Amino acid sequence: SQQGEEDPQALSIQEGENATMNCSYKTSINNLQWYRQNSGRGLVHLILIRSNEREKHSGRLRVTLDTSKKSSSLLITASRAADTASYFCATDRTTDSWGKLQFGAGTQVVVTP
Amino acid sequence: NAGVTQTPKFQVLKTGQSMTLQCAQDMNHNSMYWYRQDPGMGLRLIYYSASEGTTDKGEVPNGYNVSRLNKREFSLRLESAAPSQTSVYFCASSDDRGFAIYTEAFFGQGTRLTVV
């Protein structure tokens, strides 16, 4: 079974708007990561947040982590057409051998000009 | 920098045929992974290798074998392909900079495999 579940499954916004997607997971983690996948391409790492961190920023990206609720959110501010992609959260669980990332099913984001 | 290189990019197999997917990374990473991606399912871990000479099963290992040839290379073998193995396969690698401080994973471009 998958560890992470993203919500919503799909998101359609206009350029300039903010995009928010959420990830919930089931078991305790070492860290949570967000990846982007453009159509037909491999995954690209966006940001990693460790279990003892609550918020992290990288450019137009803001990630929060609430370990008590076992959830994370990814905010993309001032979205651009180039942000059109699928976004996945991945967790590194404490119950697994180190480094076994578990991925969710992803959120498909479409940004229209 | 090449990063993670997978070959081939596309492959069509007949049921029962065998093939090996190749993966190589040039980042001196210890950890390497094979995932499969199916529509609506996200990525599921097939096998994992923490270091040269070690491998570990992931979530969906049945029907696959792996070989960590050396630190750079991690191959995935389908001994007798089945239509259920039609998928996009991704190889990835990551560094381990100490206990519980794994960094991000770097992915190859994927192999689109169709089994007919």
Side-chain angles (χ1 to χ4, degrees):
Chain A
S1 63
Q2 288 178 289
Q3 162 78 326
E5 294 184 3
E6 288 92 341
D7 171 58
Q9 290 185 340
L11 184 60
S12 184
I13 56 175
Q14 292 191 318
E15 270 191 326
E17 293 181 337
N18 295 340
T20 300
M21 59 210 85
N22 303 296
C23 171
S24 60
Y25 57 91
K26 298 173 184 174
T27 60
S28 61
I29 59 173
N30 297 309
N31 65 64
L32 185 143
Q33 305 179 29
W34 285 92
Y35 288 81
R36 184 188 73 232
Q37 184 181 36
N38 293 95
S39 181
R41 308 298 297 272
L43 279 74
V44 174
H45 179 261
L46 294 176
I47 198 163
L48 181 155
I49 186 165
R50 302 195 190 283
S51 60
N52 61 352
E53 297 175 315
R54 293 296 168 258
E55 187 171 315
K56 209 161 183 180
H57 297 257
S58 177
R60 293 183 296 112
L61 305 179
R62 172 178 170 256
V63 168
T64 62
L65 178 65
D66 187 333
T67 52
S68 66
K69 295 181 179 178
K70 292 187 170 56
S71 67
S72 173
S73 67
L74 170 66
L75 168 68
I76 305 173
T77 60
S79 62
R80 306 166 182 169
D83 295 327
T84 294
S86 293
Y87 293 82
F88 296 88
C89 69
T91 54
D92 180 2
R93 303 186 301 188
T94 58
T95 53
D96 282 334
S97 302
W98 306 117
K100 279 187 179 179
L101 290 177
Q102 297 268 337
F103 284 81
T107 293
Q108 191 169 3
V109 176
V110 174
V111 182
T112 55
Chain B
N1 291 335
V4 179
T5 303
Q6 290 182 234
T7 55
K9 288 187 171 54
F10 301 93
Q11 184 72 49
V12 178
L13 289 179
K14 294 182 179 178
T15 297
Q17 286 186 319
S18 63
M19 79 160 295
T20 300
L21 280 64
Q22 306 286 353
C23 174
Q25 52 92 8
D26 61 1
M27 295 172 282
N28 201 37
H29 287 168
N30 281 320
S31 298
M32 297 186 73
Y33 317 78
W34 276 105
Y35 287 89
R36 61 178 287 174
Q37 184 178 31
D38 301 297
M41 296 288 290
L43 277 76
R44 291 183 291 169
L45 183 65
I46 305 171
Y47 268 95
Y48 162 67
S49 172
S51 62
E52 180 181 350
T54 67
T55 61
D56 196 7
K57 293 179 180 178
E59 187 182 353
V60 287
N62 292 343
Y64 305 95
N65 286 303
V66 289
S67 178
R68 184 73 182 270
L69 303 169
N70 47 54
K71 193 170 186 179
R72 289 188 65 249
E73 298 170 292
F74 189 37
S75 61
L76 178 72
R77 183 161 178 85
L78 287 70
E79 291 290 352
S80 179
S84 61
Q85 294 177 306
T86 293
S87 188
V88 181
Y89 292 84
F90 288 100
C91 177
S93 70
S94 70
D95 194 6
D96 54 287
R97 300 178 184 175
F99 184 71
I101 308 179
Y102 276 75
T103 59
E104 68 269 25
F106 294 81
F107 283 81
Q109 291 299 298
T111 297
R112 290 187 177 274
L113 175 66
T114 302
V115 183
V116 297

